[in-house]
Amino acid sequence: VRSIAEVLASLEPGATSASKKMLAMKFEDSIFKAASSMDDYRKTIEKRIKRLKKHYAKQQAASGGVKEENADLIREKELLFQKAIRDEYSEKLIYIVKHADKAVHVTRMTAGEQKAKVLNDHCDTLKKRALQLGVKLEGVAPLPKLNHDMKFLTQLKNALDTIVDTVRSHVVKVEDLNLFLEEQLDSADKKLLKSENSNILRKALQDTVDADSNKQFTVDQMKLLTEVLNVPTPIPRRNQDADLVRAALSRIEKIRASTQAILIYCGLTSEEKTSFPGSLRKSSAILKENLLALEKDHSHLFEDAEEKDKDGNPIIKLEDAWNKHLQYVDQTVQSAADMDADDITAEDEPAKKRQKIDEETSTPPVETKKMVISARVLLTPGRKPIYTLIPELKKKNAVLIKNGSVSSIRMEFGTAFEMTIYFKPLLVTIRAMNKEDTVTAATTGRGLSALSSGIQWPSLHQGLNTGEATDSKPNVSVLGVSGTPATLGPIIAKQLEYASAQATHVLRKCFAEKVNNKNSEFEIEIMEASALIKFMRIVRSTYHNGKWVDVED
């Protein structure tokens, strides 16, 4: 059928194989029904096609050749095709152009100059394509009307198909996280409607659920949860505490049902999922709505329940170790992001001219700093600390620890966790702190594993597996949940491992900024000490909500 459609399209100027596909199907079906065998079927098709070509050739010779298609008709087809492309992509292109500057700025701050440049180039290209399509952009002068032929429009559509969705996804992730989450849920929902994906996920969920569990991946269970989600939340009357409690209980029940609905939906077959379209997005929206409502209506409960010390400052908790991320800000990138608007070339300049001007007037790019993974001089085995470091350690309430020839620095954060900084190699460990266990480990070596150069590496489970749990006093409590070390210990240890890796990355970035391209040992040691002080300042500011004050003698 495809071959017949291509032949029929070749006989008619301006026709395509897709437009002749229906005619080709009827043509093939009539021959197939009349044929007595497969050989007869093939021979009949070949004869009929040859007859068509011969008849077409006679008509062409008699009329002196096929007349060219009317120019107005061709132009009308091009305008219709251009309008179809504009209708499909105009909304996405307008969104990209509107939020491109913010997306590039955030990308530069978080992912580096190179990725920001790539995103900026893509945004500029799409801005140019939008103007070529005739899309009206706010604050941008439209291009003069150009007559784009069908070939150009086809190439333009292929280019937009390739890049628009990817670039818009990056921009949306920066500008509107809620919209990004909704679109990702819709995308995941479409993938789950494919039987192969749905079957894999269903089997994985069934394998993880215990046989005695009440979770059943059935349509009836999904319907029950959907009914709970659709129940209206009672509106509390003024000064009626009982109504507030009933409303809160209803919202808590919806939160539970929405999370269960997401899990049950993922465990359904692809055919069963079609009965609950958009369930991932709907459940997520209900979950978010009720969480925000609870936070708004009962925020005073959280404020009253927050633990504070005698000075009124919030007490540092174990979960702060991974909830409060250490952030490194590169000063060179920050200064580049704060350029004056006068340094930016006009948007209406042609691309080639703008590129040439940029090459002539721009300053040389900043060299990418190499990552430093080990201290070269500071506190290396057998070397005494520099005299300016000790006072700074006291100000940051940090302790210098000597273990044979190996030196490290320990910082404590209340009674929740401690941080140990190593220098050869540059590593950071964040571990739960238990005073009794710390003393025992220091004297007996329990819970520590030896690495090269005599470094003692603390166990991930330090402070999480001490003592015995009782019914009245479980010995692990985090994020408002209490339990035994066997249940919560591995989860907390994994989070502390992540926090340690993040802190190690920031420490190495601080050293890379200060130490590169230094030659003399004295100069290197001074710069490494400066990098360490900067890192400790970041740490104290992060975990103390920016309210840390250096300890004075």
Side-chain angles (χ1 to χ4, degrees), residues 347-360:
E347 292 178 345
D348 55 351
E349 292 184 18
K352 293 183 179 179
K353 182 179 179 182
R354 183 165 65 247
Q355 182 179 3
K356 184 177 180 181
I357 293 175
D358 289 343
E359 292 175 354
E360 293 175 353

PDB file of all heavy atoms in Angstrom, residues 347-360:
ATOM      1  N   GLU A 347      19.113  43.459  21.107  1.00  0.00           N
ATOM      2  CA  GLU A 347      18.529  42.188  20.682  1.00  0.00           C
ATOM      3  C   GLU A 347      18.146  42.202  19.210  1.00  0.00           C
ATOM      4  O   GLU A 347      18.054  41.150  18.590  1.00  0.00           O
ATOM      5  CB  GLU A 347      17.296  41.879  21.525  1.00  0.00           C
ATOM      6  CG  GLU A 347      17.626  41.589  22.960  1.00  0.00           C
ATOM      7  CD  GLU A 347      16.380  41.326  23.762  1.00  0.00           C
ATOM      8  OE1 GLU A 347      15.293  41.652  23.244  1.00  0.00           O
ATOM      9  OE2 GLU A 347      16.493  40.817  24.883  1.00  0.00           O
ATOM     10  N   ASP A 348      17.926  43.409  18.656  1.00  0.00           N
ATOM     11  CA  ASP A 348      17.456  43.456  17.277  1.00  0.00           C
ATOM     12  C   ASP A 348      18.605  43.454  16.280  1.00  0.00           C
ATOM     13  O   ASP A 348      18.386  43.554  15.082  1.00  0.00           O
ATOM     14  CB  ASP A 348      16.578  44.688  17.068  1.00  0.00           C
ATOM     15  CG  ASP A 348      17.296  45.964  17.475  1.00  0.00           C
ATOM     16  OD1 ASP A 348      18.391  45.868  18.078  1.00  0.00           O
ATOM     17  OD2 ASP A 348      16.764  47.049  17.212  1.00  0.00           O
ATOM     18  N   GLU A 349      19.878  43.325  16.726  1.00  0.00           N
ATOM     19  CA  GLU A 349      21.000  43.227  15.801  1.00  0.00           C
ATOM     20  C   GLU A 349      21.012  41.858  15.168  1.00  0.00           C
ATOM     21  O   GLU A 349      20.653  40.866  15.805  1.00  0.00           O
ATOM     22  CB  GLU A 349      22.321  43.466  16.534  1.00  0.00           C
ATOM     23  CG  GLU A 349      22.493  44.891  17.019  1.00  0.00           C
ATOM     24  CD  GLU A 349      23.864  45.090  17.640  1.00  0.00           C
ATOM     25  OE1 GLU A 349      24.746  44.260  17.375  1.00  0.00           O
ATOM     26  OE2 GLU A 349      24.050  46.066  18.368  1.00  0.00           O
ATOM     27  N   PRO A 350      21.450  41.749  13.915  1.00  0.00           N
ATOM     28  CA  PRO A 350      21.561  40.427  13.298  1.00  0.00           C
ATOM     29  C   PRO A 350      22.505  39.538  14.076  1.00  0.00           C
ATOM     30  O   PRO A 350      23.464  39.997  14.694  1.00  0.00           O
ATOM     31  CB  PRO A 350      22.103  40.752  11.905  1.00  0.00           C
ATOM     32  CG  PRO A 350      21.747  42.185  11.669  1.00  0.00           C
ATOM     33  CD  PRO A 350      21.779  42.835  13.017  1.00  0.00           C
ATOM     34  N   ALA A 351      22.276  38.242  14.017  1.00  0.00           N
ATOM     35  CA  ALA A 351      23.045  37.294  14.837  1.00  0.00           C
ATOM     36  C   ALA A 351      24.528  37.321  14.485  1.00  0.00           C
ATOM     37  O   ALA A 351      25.390  37.314  15.360  1.00  0.00           O
ATOM     38  CB  ALA A 351      22.477  35.889  14.653  1.00  0.00           C
ATOM     39  N   LYS A 352      24.847  37.330  13.198  1.00  0.00           N
ATOM     40  CA  LYS A 352      26.260  37.304  12.791  1.00  0.00           C
ATOM     41  C   LYS A 352      26.985  38.570  13.230  1.00  0.00           C
ATOM     42  O   LYS A 352      28.127  38.521  13.693  1.00  0.00           O
ATOM     43  CB  LYS A 352      26.359  37.118  11.286  1.00  0.00           C
ATOM     44  CG  LYS A 352      25.880  35.759  10.803  1.00  0.00           C
ATOM     45  CD  LYS A 352      26.079  35.606   9.318  1.00  0.00           C
ATOM     46  CE  LYS A 352      25.622  34.235   8.831  1.00  0.00           C
ATOM     47  NZ  LYS A 352      25.787  34.079   7.380  1.00  0.00           N
ATOM     48  N   LYS A 353      26.318  39.730  13.083  1.00  0.00           N
ATOM     49  CA  LYS A 353      26.932  40.993  13.486  1.00  0.00           C
ATOM     50  C   LYS A 353      27.156  41.027  14.982  1.00  0.00           C
ATOM     51  O   LYS A 353      28.201  41.464  15.459  1.00  0.00           O
ATOM     52  CB  LYS A 353      26.032  42.152  13.044  1.00  0.00           C
ATOM     53  CG  LYS A 353      26.605  43.529  13.378  1.00  0.00           C
ATOM     54  CD  LYS A 353      25.678  44.604  12.902  1.00  0.00           C
ATOM     55  CE  LYS A 353      26.219  45.981  13.251  1.00  0.00           C
ATOM     56  NZ  LYS A 353      25.287  47.061  12.820  1.00  0.00           N
ATOM     57  N   ARG A 354      26.148  40.547  15.752  1.00  0.00           N
ATOM     58  CA  ARG A 354      26.268  40.533  17.196  1.00  0.00           C
ATOM     59  C   ARG A 354      27.408  39.626  17.638  1.00  0.00           C
ATOM     60  O   ARG A 354      28.160  39.944  18.545  1.00  0.00           O
ATOM     61  CB  ARG A 354      24.947  40.068  17.830  1.00  0.00           C
ATOM     62  CG  ARG A 354      24.985  40.103  19.348  1.00  0.00           C
ATOM     63  CD  ARG A 354      23.582  40.008  19.938  1.00  0.00           C
ATOM     64  NE  ARG A 354      22.950  38.753  19.652  1.00  0.00           N
ATOM     65  CZ  ARG A 354      21.887  38.609  18.866  1.00  0.00           C
ATOM     66  NH1 ARG A 354      21.348  39.665  18.286  1.00  0.00           N
ATOM     67  NH2 ARG A 354      21.356  37.415  18.659  1.00  0.00           N
ATOM     68  N   GLN A 355      27.547  38.464  16.974  1.00  0.00           N
ATOM     69  CA  GLN A 355      28.626  37.546  17.330  1.00  0.00           C
ATOM     70  C   GLN A 355      29.987  38.165  17.052  1.00  0.00           C
ATOM     71  O   GLN A 355      30.928  38.026  17.833  1.00  0.00           O
ATOM     72  CB  GLN A 355      28.460  36.250  16.544  1.00  0.00           C
ATOM     73  CG  GLN A 355      29.521  35.208  16.878  1.00  0.00           C
ATOM     74  CD  GLN A 355      29.300  33.931  16.092  1.00  0.00           C
ATOM     75  OE1 GLN A 355      28.400  33.847  15.280  1.00  0.00           O
ATOM     76  NE2 GLN A 355      30.148  32.955  16.326  1.00  0.00           N
ATOM     77  N   LYS A 356      30.107  38.885  15.940  1.00  0.00           N
ATOM     78  CA  LYS A 356      31.380  39.515  15.592  1.00  0.00           C
ATOM     79  C   LYS A 356      31.737  40.598  16.601  1.00  0.00           C
ATOM     80  O   LYS A 356      32.889  40.718  17.034  1.00  0.00           O
ATOM     81  CB  LYS A 356      31.272  40.105  14.190  1.00  0.00           C
ATOM     82  CG  LYS A 356      32.580  40.707  13.695  1.00  0.00           C
ATOM     83  CD  LYS A 356      32.437  41.206  12.270  1.00  0.00           C
ATOM     84  CE  LYS A 356      33.745  41.812  11.773  1.00  0.00           C
ATOM     85  NZ  LYS A 356      33.615  42.318  10.386  1.00  0.00           N
ATOM     86  N   ILE A 357      30.747  41.404  16.993  1.00  0.00           N
ATOM     87  CA  ILE A 357      30.999  42.464  17.978  1.00  0.00           C
ATOM     88  C   ILE A 357      31.416  41.863  19.305  1.00  0.00           C
ATOM     89  O   ILE A 357      32.319  42.337  19.978  1.00  0.00           O
ATOM     90  CB  ILE A 357      29.745  43.336  18.138  1.00  0.00           C
ATOM     91  CG1 ILE A 357      29.475  44.107  16.839  1.00  0.00           C
ATOM     92  CG2 ILE A 357      29.897  44.304  19.300  1.00  0.00           C
ATOM     93  CD1 ILE A 357      28.193  44.895  16.855  1.00  0.00           C
ATOM     94  N   ASP A 358      30.735  40.756  19.708  1.00  0.00           N
ATOM     95  CA  ASP A 358      31.065  40.107  20.982  1.00  0.00           C
ATOM     96  C   ASP A 358      32.498  39.606  20.973  1.00  0.00           C
ATOM     97  O   ASP A 358      33.217  39.713  21.960  1.00  0.00           O
ATOM     98  CB  ASP A 358      30.115  38.938  21.232  1.00  0.00           C
ATOM     99  CG  ASP A 358      28.714  39.439  21.566  1.00  0.00           C
ATOM    100  OD1 ASP A 358      28.610  40.634  21.898  1.00  0.00           O
ATOM    101  OD2 ASP A 358      27.767  38.644  21.478  1.00  0.00           O
ATOM    102  N   GLU A 359      32.948  39.043  19.840  1.00  0.00           N
ATOM    103  CA  GLU A 359      34.308  38.520  19.762  1.00  0.00           C
ATOM    104  C   GLU A 359      35.351  39.628  19.867  1.00  0.00           C
ATOM    105  O   GLU A 359      36.435  39.432  20.410  1.00  0.00           O
ATOM    106  CB  GLU A 359      34.490  37.752  18.450  1.00  0.00           C
ATOM    107  CG  GLU A 359      33.673  36.460  18.394  1.00  0.00           C
ATOM    108  CD  GLU A 359      33.784  35.786  17.041  1.00  0.00           C
ATOM    109  OE1 GLU A 359      34.402  36.399  16.143  1.00  0.00           O
ATOM    110  OE2 GLU A 359      33.252  34.667  16.885  1.00  0.00           O
ATOM    111  N   GLU A 360      35.005  40.829  19.350  1.00  0.00           N
ATOM    112  CA  GLU A 360      35.981  41.922  19.349  1.00  0.00           C
ATOM    113  C   GLU A 360      36.042  42.627  20.703  1.00  0.00           C
ATOM    114  O   GLU A 360      37.091  43.107  21.108  1.00  0.00           O
ATOM    115  CB  GLU A 360      35.606  42.929  18.258  1.00  0.00           C
ATOM    116  CG  GLU A 360      35.766  42.352  16.835  1.00  0.00           C
ATOM    117  CD  GLU A 360      35.278  43.333  15.784  1.00  0.00           C
ATOM    118  OE1 GLU A 360      34.709  44.372  16.182  1.00  0.00           O
ATOM    119  OE2 GLU A 360      35.463  43.071  14.584  1.00  0.00           O
TER     120      GLU A 360
END
